[in-house]
Amino acid sequence: MAEVTLRNVSKVFDGGKPAVKNVNIDILDKEFVVLVGPSGCGKSTTLRMIAGLEEITEGDIFIDGKKVNDISPKDRDIAMVFQNYALYPHMTVFENMAFGLKLRKFPKQEIKTRVTDAAKILGLEEFLNRKPKALSGGQRQRVALGRAIVRKPKVFLFDEPLSNLDAKLRVQMRTEISKLHHSLEATMIYVTHDQTEAMTMGDKIVILKDGVVNQIDSPLQLYNFPSNKFVAGFIGSPSMNFIEGKILSEKGINFKSNKGSLMLKLSSEYEKKLSGYLNKDIWLGIRPEDIYDSATTQIRPTFNQIEVNLEVVEPMGNEIFLYFPLDNIQFTARIPAREKPDQGTRRQLFFDTGKLHFFDPQSEIAL
């Protein structure tokens, strides 16, 4: 397989609006890297530039150490799996999977061997003589995967391949693609807007916003140590809660929200980190799972309890989401489903002050 390197890659479309700005990414051999971000962030454009389907405005792309800026897509030794499968409706599954090899004049026996081997990996052996219209969405996506596998490319590229599938099939196909990555030991680059796909599949995640890379890291590092407020809010479901306030020094260091709905006594470890923000505005972030219900948790806090009004209580089976206002901002807590609190009641909650995140109000960089 191969390494893929992007150096100062930018893309400006007609009209002068930049879609991708100065992107630098190092993708290692056999690594599974996910490009993720909201719609319009430049992730698909970046993937298409790697594939050669989109011209680069500035910068360089290297595959296996070779600069490929001016090399056509068919000569880059990559295979791409698209969102809409892109299967030929008049061809059988076998013919669809074999088509690229026939164009490259592979011997018939090698084509048969490669297609048969790929069909075994993907569980498509009994469908080789069927046409795409006789297959389910998940089976069609496996055929598209098989067409890529038979090529034995240096790099696999996936452009939101699961977005047309229902929720159950998406989970199943996520697992199949992850198993495929391990069995093929392939370099894979995967584009999605779904942060759950990114967190569960990627060895490394690249988070983009407005064409700019905001952070590149492993899933757990992104989750625990987001580089800025955007990354913190994008990764995690439900997303991180944010509230603006000030850092005060009153018998220790404290956070007080602007309208006074939240007052937290912080541990001494925050003093050095936040010393430059005394009496200044600051953003506080906390994940829903780090807010506990004092009536049901095993933990017994000594301070930082707050009383809230539960506007919505949402049972999810193995857990419950609690929605409540603080400073007229809706907060979410995520608690185990031991006891379902009643909607509209008052409840004592407390914040795990060891899991707080703070962000500069201007730059939104994590402190």
Side-chain angles (χ1 to χ4, degrees), residues 242-307:
F242 296 104
I243 192 166
E244 198 168 10
K246 284 184 167 62
I247 299 298
L248 307 174
S249 182
E250 299 171 1
K251 296 180 182 179
I253 193 162
N254 304 272
F255 170 85
K256 184 178 182 180
S257 66
N258 284 348
K259 294 182 181 177
S261 296
L262 182 65
M263 182 79 170
L264 296 177
K265 183 175 176 59
L266 306 179
S267 62
S268 57
E269 67 186 78
Y270 286 105
E271 286 194 36
K272 187 175 180 182
K273 185 189 294 186
L274 301 175
S275 60
Y277 286 86
L278 283 177
N279 300 309
K280 293 181 181 177
D281 290 335
I282 197 169
W283 279 102
L284 176 145
I286 185 164
R287 297 202 180 278
E289 54 269 35
D290 296 323
I291 302 174
Y292 301 93
D293 176 22
S294 60
T296 59
T297 184
Q298 306 283 337
I299 304 168
R300 285 288 169 259
T302 55
F303 51 79
N304 286 329
Q305 288 200 54
I306 58 169
E307 188 174 284

Side-chain angles (χ1 to χ4, degrees), residues 90-119:
H90 62 286
M91 293 184 182
T92 64
V93 168
F94 184 97
E95 290 166 342
N96 266 285
M97 290 170 67
F99 186 70
L101 300 179
K102 286 181 179 177
L103 286 181
R104 288 167 176 78
K105 310 293 185 186
F106 276 73
K108 284 186 178 180
Q109 187 54 47
E110 185 171 356
I111 291 174
K112 184 178 179 182
T113 301
R114 287 196 183 197
V115 171
T116 303
D117 289 347

Side-chain angles (χ1 to χ4, degrees), residues 113-133:
T113 301
R114 287 196 183 197
V115 171
T116 303
D117 289 347
K120 283 179 184 176
I121 292 170
L122 295 166
L124 291 171
E125 296 157 284
E126 62 182 286
F127 305 110
L128 287 174
N129 293 319
R130 292 192 191 179
K131 291 185 177 176
K133 66 180 180 182

